Amino acid sequence: MAGVAELMGTTGVALAAEFHVPQIDEFLPPEIIFAGTPFAMNRIVMVRLIATAVMLLVFGITAARAKLIPGRWQGAVEWLIEFVQNNIVYEVMGELRGKRYVPMITTLFLTIMVFNLCGIIPFANMSANATFVMPLLFAVWTFVQYWRAAIREKGLLAYLKEELLPEGVPIPVYIILAPMQLIDIVLIRPASLAIRLFANMVAGHLIVALCFAATQFFLIESHNMMAGFGVLTLAGGFIMTLFEAFVAALQAFIFATLSCVYINLSYPEEA
Amino acid sequence: MDLITLAEVTGSLSAVGYGLAAIGPGVGVGIIFGKAIEATARQPELGGRIQTLMWLGFGLVEFLALLGFIAGFIFR
Amino acid sequence: METQAVDGVKLFIPETYDIFWSAVVLVVVAVFFYKFFLPKFQAIFDERAAKIEGGIAKAEKAQADADAAKKKYEDQLNTARVDAAKIRDDARTEASHIIADARVKAEADAAQITANAQKSIESQQQQALVSLKGEVGALATALAGKILGSKLQDADVQTSMLDSMIEDIDKDSAGKAK
């Protein structure tokens, strides 16, 4: 990577230029197929498409072979589906109004989790959510859904009034509150959903890559007393990889839960 | 070594900035989850509602940390 | 950080091809989940629930049948018990009736026997009285004939004389009894 030597030089330790520090331009890889056209693909898009294909294949076969008495794998998949349905959708929205959103939230949860897990799968090593557009599209879906729910359940004006001018607040406060709320429902909610997911993927990848790059550097390229650090960073890399697996599921859960919460806010108070 | 060289700081200040920016949301998120656990322990029957509010607050507070993350890239 | 190869802001600026492929992926995934995956599993869940519920219903029916049979059996037992008690009571009352009847009949027989005995005693007494009267009359006549001689040969005189004599005796005894 360009600029690595200068970056490392500033730390005061005279490290060799071979220390491959992961950079954010790993998330902006060059186009490799159909370059220049609107259908160009870079590495991350490739990972995304392959992940999609594998996911559809695996889940498709599972669903096609689904039996009344589940096997081990089918049991696991069913557990996931029921977890999304009961612990995310029904927990937040209740069974009555949650029913129509179960497919959407299940799609979000499973897709985001599988895409996130690509970050720790060897040879992919890059989350399929690691360009900003994919999380953004998921967030836009949620955005569209909660506005649709608001317009259908309350009407646009009633919804805006309730959100921008909530009752029980002194009138002068509205001057600050209304714009803030407007920004919240229009921008912050979808943006925070998308950026949270994206940032977690970027940071996770950088940390894992950094650990293994340091291991590579300490153990192989600088053969001296620094080898001890290499063992340390290798262990760190393993731990961080496991942590990434956890974060992959956690972020999927948070995304799905927050989507439910936002959609639920568009409905009137508990009926 | 002159004074200017001594006091020179090189490298990315945005990393330091993000570190600072993460303190507030870190505390905030901690408080939110802690209070949610406390509230649920006191009134378990309101668990669902508390959890909804908890995630809402978490989303808002987390956004500050995310802003810090973006700001590191934008203001350089 | 001027040396950094790319500008970090670029992370947040979408590329056309990225948008295209992301949208394609999203639509494909959503269609897959909405149209195939979830309905399939929902059907499985529903079928399973139906089967479990069917099993439970069957078990409940069997239980109900068993309960009904038990109830029927107990009812029968109860009626039998009641019948037995009734029969016992009937028998008891009948027995007491029989005893009472027998007692009444025995008393009546006893009374009858007593009455008959009384009657026969009375008739024997009467007979004895009549025969005594005849004998005493004959004796007295004979006696009187011997005393009076053959003055009293005529039977008619004899009889009237005897009657007046007995009347006198009767009057005497009645007067004495008074």
Side-chain angles (χ1 to χ4, degrees):
Chain A
M1 293 288 152
V4 171
E6 287 88 341
L7 185 71
M8 296 320 294
T10 59
T11 59
V13 186
L15 290 180
E18 292 89 52
F19 194 170
H20 174 97
V21 174
Q23 294 279 303
I24 54 159
D25 52 8
E26 288 192 21
F27 297 95
L28 298 163
E31 303 165 10
I32 46 178
I33 304 176
F34 308 130
T37 66
F39 312 110
M41 291 187 200
N42 60 23
R43 205 179 114 70
I44 298 174
V45 173
M46 288 285 281
V47 167
R48 183 177 305 156
L49 288 177
I50 292 169
T52 309
V54 170
M55 180 177 75
L56 293 196
L57 207 65
V58 170
F59 282 160
I61 289 173
T62 309
R65 286 192 189 163
K67 287 191 272 301
L68 204 59
I69 297 144
R72 222 171 271 180
W73 169 248
Q74 194 193 332
V77 174
E78 281 180 8
W79 182 81
L80 270 181
I81 295 171
E82 285 181 335
F83 173 78
V84 174
Q85 179 176 311
N86 296 331
N87 290 31
I88 300 181
V89 184
Y90 290 172
E91 174 81 22
V92 174
M93 307 181 73
E95 195 163 343
L96 202 65
R97 63 175 66 158
K99 214 165 182 67
R100 69 187 301 156
Y101 295 106
V102 168
M104 173 199 170
I105 302 297
T106 312
T107 310
L108 282 178
F109 180 82
L110 289 180
T111 313
I112 291 174
M113 192 166 79
V114 169
F115 281 9
N116 285 355
L117 283 173
C118 291
I120 56 167
I121 291 171
F123 304 115
N125 279 335
M126 176 63 81
S127 166
N129 283 325
T131 68
F132 189 51
V133 180
M134 198 72 225
L136 189 64
L137 278 183
F138 289 135
V140 166
W141 190 8
T142 301
F143 178 79
V144 170
Q145 285 286 351
Y146 77 71
W147 277 96
R148 261 185 60 192
I151 291 166
R152 191 183 57 234
E153 298 295 329
K154 289 183 183 171
L156 183 60
L157 287 178
Y159 174 66
L160 284 178
K161 183 176 174 296
E162 199 163 302
E163 285 293 325
L164 302 187
L165 310 169
E167 280 172 27
V169 178
I171 291 171
V173 180
Y174 283 142
I175 299 167
I176 311 172
L177 194 64
M180 265 180 60
Q181 289 285 78
L182 187 65
I183 295 172
D184 182 35
I185 56 176
V186 176
L187 189 65
I188 292 184
R189 283 182 190 176
S192 71
L193 278 179
I195 296 172
R196 177 180 304 110
L197 183 52
F198 177 60
N200 270 286
M201 290 306 106
V202 169
H205 174 76
L206 286 180
I207 285 178
V208 173
L210 187 66
C211 281
F212 287 130
T215 309
Q216 163 93 1
F217 173 73
F218 284 132
L219 282 185
I220 298 167
E221 282 162 28
S222 67
H223 17 83
N224 48 22
M225 289 105 76
M226 304 277 253
F229 288 109
V231 177
L232 220 62
T233 53
L234 186 64
F238 273 120
I239 292 169
M240 281 302 155
T241 305
L242 293 180
F243 184 66
E244 270 312 286
F246 168 68
V247 165
L250 182 72
Q251 287 304 319
F253 174 76
I254 290 179
F255 198 109
T257 306
L258 274 173
S259 292
C260 280
V261 169
Y262 291 154
I263 290 170
N264 197 36
L265 282 178
S266 296
Y267 278 83
E269 264 318 279
E270 288 299 321
Chain B
M1 192 180 278
D2 55 296
L3 268 177
I4 298 198
T5 323
L6 243 179
E8 190 188 41
V9 175
T10 50
S12 177
L13 252 183
S14 53
V16 179
Y18 179 69
L20 288 175
I23 294 174
V27 173
V29 169
I31 289 175
I32 287 169
F33 277 93
K35 288 287 175 189
I37 291 166
E38 208 175 282
T40 313
R42 281 188 192 183
Q43 294 190 292
E45 68 275 10
L46 290 181
R49 181 126 184 79
I50 291 168
Q51 208 183 36
T52 306
L53 292 174
M54 175 189 84
W55 284 117
L56 200 66
F58 166 79
L60 276 178
V61 171
E62 178 85 340
F63 187 68
L64 294 177
L66 297 174
L67 269 185
F69 176 81
I70 308 175
F73 290 120
I74 294 176
F75 307 116
R76 302 192 305 124
Chain C
M1 295 290 281
E2 299 82 27
T3 52
Q4 200 169 312
V6 287
D7 195 341
V9 180
K10 276 193 182 159
L11 283 179
F12 297 99
I13 298 170
E15 301 271 1
T16 324
Y17 63 85
D18 200 2
I19 295 173
F20 172 75
W21 287 117
S22 299
V24 167
V25 163
L26 187 66
V27 169
V28 167
V29 165
V31 167
F32 170 76
F33 276 103
Y34 269 79
K35 295 289 171 207
F36 176 64
F37 185 71
L38 285 170
K40 179 92 188 173
F41 270 98
Q42 205 55 54
I44 295 266
F45 289 155
D46 288 349
E47 199 181 336
R48 192 175 298 153
K51 201 144 215 179
I52 290 168
E53 265 165 25
I56 289 171
K58 210 185 243 170
E60 270 171 359
K61 194 169 170 294
Q63 186 71 40
D65 283 355
D67 283 351
K70 196 178 167 213
K71 197 168 175 300
K72 202 171 149 198
Y73 165 75
E74 275 175 355
D75 282 355
Q76 277 176 353
L77 202 66
N78 275 339
T79 32
R81 221 171 257 152
V82 168
D83 283 355
K86 204 174 153 216
I87 289 168
R88 225 173 14 240
D89 282 356
D90 284 357
R92 206 170 278 143
T93 43
E94 206 160 316
S96 59
H97 276 162
I98 289 169
I99 290 172
D101 284 357
R103 187 172 290 147
V104 166
K105 205 175 161 197
E107 276 170 2
D109 284 357
Q112 186 82 35
I113 290 167
T114 316
N116 285 349
Q118 204 93 34
K119 230 176 249 172
S120 73
I121 288 170
E122 267 174 22
S123 67
Q124 276 173 14
Q125 201 178 9
Q126 201 73 33
Q127 237 170 359
L129 208 60
V130 169
S131 69
L132 202 62
K133 195 166 128 187
E135 273 174 36
V136 170
L139 207 60
T141 311
L143 219 55
K146 272 184 187 161
I147 295 169
L148 296 175
S150 41
K151 261 185 166 175
L152 295 174
Q153 288 304 318
D154 190 12
D156 293 338
V157 177
Q158 257 181 14
T159 309
S160 63
M161 215 171 77
L162 270 174
D163 282 346
S164 64
M165 258 171 72
I166 286 167
E167 236 162 80
D168 286 347
I169 291 168
D170 275 351
K171 261 183 200 164
D172 265 7
S173 63
K176 268 175 201 165
K178 274 181 187 168

PDB file of all heavy atoms in Angstrom, chain A residues 8-24:
ATOM      1  N   MET A   8       3.860   4.525   9.192  1.00  0.00           N
ATOM      2  CA  MET A   8       4.521   3.803  10.252  1.00  0.00           C
ATOM      3  C   MET A   8       5.729   4.570  10.771  1.00  0.00           C
ATOM      4  O   MET A   8       6.071   4.457  11.947  1.00  0.00           O
ATOM      5  CB  MET A   8       4.970   2.419   9.758  1.00  0.00           C
ATOM      6  CG  MET A   8       3.813   1.513   9.378  1.00  0.00           C
ATOM      7  SD  MET A   8       2.395   1.625  10.481  1.00  0.00           S
ATOM      8  CE  MET A   8       3.125   0.973  11.972  1.00  0.00           C
ATOM      9  N   GLY A   9       6.355   5.333   9.891  1.00  0.00           N
ATOM     10  CA  GLY A   9       7.511   6.103  10.306  1.00  0.00           C
ATOM     11  C   GLY A   9       7.180   7.059  11.428  1.00  0.00           C
ATOM     12  O   GLY A   9       8.020   7.355  12.263  1.00  0.00           O
ATOM     13  N   THR A  10       5.968   7.525  11.470  1.00  0.00           N
ATOM     14  CA  THR A  10       5.606   8.506  12.482  1.00  0.00           C
ATOM     15  C   THR A  10       5.478   7.900  13.855  1.00  0.00           C
ATOM     16  O   THR A  10       5.429   8.613  14.843  1.00  0.00           O
ATOM     17  CB  THR A  10       4.266   9.150  12.123  1.00  0.00           C
ATOM     18  OG1 THR A  10       3.309   8.112  12.058  1.00  0.00           O
ATOM     19  CG2 THR A  10       4.347   9.857  10.798  1.00  0.00           C
ATOM     20  N   THR A  11       5.411   6.585  13.972  1.00  0.00           N
ATOM     21  CA  THR A  11       5.241   5.998  15.291  1.00  0.00           C
ATOM     22  C   THR A  11       6.540   5.987  16.069  1.00  0.00           C
ATOM     23  O   THR A  11       6.542   5.678  17.254  1.00  0.00           O
ATOM     24  CB  THR A  11       4.726   4.556  15.190  1.00  0.00           C
ATOM     25  OG1 THR A  11       5.682   3.802  14.438  1.00  0.00           O
ATOM     26  CG2 THR A  11       3.399   4.509  14.482  1.00  0.00           C
ATOM     27  N   GLY A  12       7.606   6.303  15.429  1.00  0.00           N
ATOM     28  CA  GLY A  12       8.874   6.380  16.138  1.00  0.00           C
ATOM     29  C   GLY A  12       9.637   5.087  16.095  1.00  0.00           C
ATOM     30  O   GLY A  12      10.827   5.051  16.377  1.00  0.00           O
ATOM     31  N   VAL A  13       8.999   3.992  15.778  1.00  0.00           N
ATOM     32  CA  VAL A  13       9.698   2.718  15.664  1.00  0.00           C
ATOM     33  C   VAL A  13      10.084   2.534  14.212  1.00  0.00           C
ATOM     34  O   VAL A  13       9.274   2.704  13.325  1.00  0.00           O
ATOM     35  CB  VAL A  13       8.793   1.562  16.134  1.00  0.00           C
ATOM     36  CG1 VAL A  13       9.576   0.268  16.149  1.00  0.00           C
ATOM     37  CG2 VAL A  13       8.228   1.883  17.491  1.00  0.00           C
ATOM     38  N   ALA A  14      11.291   2.187  13.985  1.00  0.00           N
ATOM     39  CA  ALA A  14      11.749   2.051  12.605  1.00  0.00           C
ATOM     40  C   ALA A  14      11.292   0.722  12.050  1.00  0.00           C
ATOM     41  O   ALA A  14      12.008  -0.273  12.061  1.00  0.00           O
ATOM     42  CB  ALA A  14      13.269   2.156  12.541  1.00  0.00           C
ATOM     43  N   LEU A  15      10.047   0.681  11.636  1.00  0.00           N
ATOM     44  CA  LEU A  15       9.519  -0.555  11.112  1.00  0.00           C
ATOM     45  C   LEU A  15       9.823  -0.649   9.632  1.00  0.00           C
ATOM     46  O   LEU A  15       9.948   0.344   8.935  1.00  0.00           O
ATOM     47  CB  LEU A  15       8.008  -0.620  11.326  1.00  0.00           C
ATOM     48  CG  LEU A  15       7.562  -0.792  12.777  1.00  0.00           C
ATOM     49  CD1 LEU A  15       6.056  -0.834  12.848  1.00  0.00           C
ATOM     50  CD2 LEU A  15       8.173  -2.025  13.392  1.00  0.00           C
ATOM     51  N   ALA A  16       9.906  -1.876   9.167  1.00  0.00           N
ATOM     52  CA  ALA A  16      10.183  -2.062   7.749  1.00  0.00           C
ATOM     53  C   ALA A  16       8.953  -1.683   6.938  1.00  0.00           C
ATOM     54  O   ALA A  16       7.831  -1.727   7.420  1.00  0.00           O
ATOM     55  CB  ALA A  16      10.545  -3.515   7.489  1.00  0.00           C
ATOM     56  N   ALA A  17       9.182  -1.331   5.697  1.00  0.00           N
ATOM     57  CA  ALA A  17       8.110  -0.879   4.824  1.00  0.00           C
ATOM     58  C   ALA A  17       7.172  -2.017   4.455  1.00  0.00           C
ATOM     59  O   ALA A  17       6.106  -1.803   3.919  1.00  0.00           O
ATOM     60  CB  ALA A  17       8.672  -0.257   3.560  1.00  0.00           C
ATOM     61  N   GLU A  18       7.574  -3.267   4.781  1.00  0.00           N
ATOM     62  CA  GLU A  18       6.741  -4.395   4.366  1.00  0.00           C
ATOM     63  C   GLU A  18       5.505  -4.548   5.261  1.00  0.00           C
ATOM     64  O   GLU A  18       4.637  -5.346   4.963  1.00  0.00           O
ATOM     65  CB  GLU A  18       7.539  -5.707   4.423  1.00  0.00           C
ATOM     66  CG  GLU A  18       8.628  -5.805   3.400  1.00  0.00           C
ATOM     67  CD  GLU A  18       9.932  -5.219   3.945  1.00  0.00           C
ATOM     68  OE1 GLU A  18      10.337  -5.628   5.050  1.00  0.00           O
ATOM     69  OE2 GLU A  18      10.513  -4.332   3.283  1.00  0.00           O
ATOM     70  N   PHE A  19       5.489  -3.838   6.376  1.00  0.00           N
ATOM     71  CA  PHE A  19       4.336  -3.965   7.258  1.00  0.00           C
ATOM     72  C   PHE A  19       3.090  -3.517   6.517  1.00  0.00           C
ATOM     73  O   PHE A  19       2.857  -2.354   6.268  1.00  0.00           O
ATOM     74  CB  PHE A  19       4.536  -3.128   8.533  1.00  0.00           C
ATOM     75  CG  PHE A  19       3.565  -3.448   9.625  1.00  0.00           C
ATOM     76  CD1 PHE A  19       3.740  -2.924  10.901  1.00  0.00           C
ATOM     77  CD2 PHE A  19       2.473  -4.287   9.397  1.00  0.00           C
ATOM     78  CE1 PHE A  19       2.844  -3.217  11.906  1.00  0.00           C
ATOM     79  CE2 PHE A  19       1.584  -4.574  10.394  1.00  0.00           C
ATOM     80  CZ  PHE A  19       1.763  -4.038  11.655  1.00  0.00           C
ATOM     81  N   HIS A  20       2.300  -4.496   6.161  1.00  0.00           N
ATOM     82  CA  HIS A  20       1.120  -4.244   5.344  1.00  0.00           C
ATOM     83  C   HIS A  20      -0.020  -3.791   6.253  1.00  0.00           C
ATOM     84  O   HIS A  20      -0.782  -4.596   6.779  1.00  0.00           O
ATOM     85  CB  HIS A  20       0.752  -5.534   4.600  1.00  0.00           C
ATOM     86  CG  HIS A  20      -0.517  -5.443   3.835  1.00  0.00           C
ATOM     87  ND1 HIS A  20      -0.565  -5.175   2.489  1.00  0.00           N
ATOM     88  CD2 HIS A  20      -1.796  -5.584   4.224  1.00  0.00           C
ATOM     89  CE1 HIS A  20      -1.817  -5.159   2.083  1.00  0.00           C
ATOM     90  NE2 HIS A  20      -2.581  -5.408   3.118  1.00  0.00           N
ATOM     91  N   VAL A  21      -0.101  -2.467   6.454  1.00  0.00           N
ATOM     92  CA  VAL A  21      -1.176  -1.977   7.313  1.00  0.00           C
ATOM     93  C   VAL A  21      -2.463  -1.907   6.502  1.00  0.00           C
ATOM     94  O   VAL A  21      -2.483  -1.332   5.426  1.00  0.00           O
ATOM     95  CB  VAL A  21      -0.843  -0.582   7.867  1.00  0.00           C
ATOM     96  CG1 VAL A  21      -2.042  -0.040   8.622  1.00  0.00           C
ATOM     97  CG2 VAL A  21       0.352  -0.661   8.775  1.00  0.00           C
ATOM     98  N   PRO A  22      -3.538  -2.513   6.994  1.00  0.00           N
ATOM     99  CA  PRO A  22      -4.795  -2.430   6.245  1.00  0.00           C
ATOM    100  C   PRO A  22      -5.280  -0.991   6.145  1.00  0.00           C
ATOM    101  O   PRO A  22      -5.222  -0.245   7.122  1.00  0.00           O
ATOM    102  CB  PRO A  22      -5.754  -3.293   7.067  1.00  0.00           C
ATOM    103  CG  PRO A  22      -5.121  -3.469   8.383  1.00  0.00           C
ATOM    104  CD  PRO A  22      -3.655  -3.344   8.201  1.00  0.00           C
ATOM    105  N   GLN A  23      -5.721  -0.629   4.975  1.00  0.00           N
ATOM    106  CA  GLN A  23      -6.157   0.738   4.721  1.00  0.00           C
ATOM    107  C   GLN A  23      -7.620   0.730   4.304  1.00  0.00           C
ATOM    108  O   GLN A  23      -8.149  -0.301   3.889  1.00  0.00           O
ATOM    109  CB  GLN A  23      -5.327   1.332   3.580  1.00  0.00           C
ATOM    110  CG  GLN A  23      -3.876   1.513   3.919  1.00  0.00           C
ATOM    111  CD  GLN A  23      -3.651   2.774   4.721  1.00  0.00           C
ATOM    112  OE1 GLN A  23      -3.998   3.857   4.279  1.00  0.00           O
ATOM    113  NE2 GLN A  23      -3.081   2.640   5.899  1.00  0.00           N
ATOM    114  N   ILE A  24      -8.222   1.910   4.382  1.00  0.00           N
ATOM    115  CA  ILE A  24      -9.632   1.930   3.988  1.00  0.00           C
ATOM    116  C   ILE A  24      -9.810   1.745   2.492  1.00  0.00           C
ATOM    117  O   ILE A  24     -10.901   1.441   2.040  1.00  0.00           O
ATOM    118  CB  ILE A  24     -10.340   3.224   4.435  1.00  0.00           C
ATOM    119  CG1 ILE A  24      -9.590   4.431   3.939  1.00  0.00           C
ATOM    120  CG2 ILE A  24     -10.532   3.243   5.909  1.00  0.00           C
ATOM    121  CD1 ILE A  24     -10.457   5.648   3.900  1.00  0.00           C
TER     122      ILE A  24
END
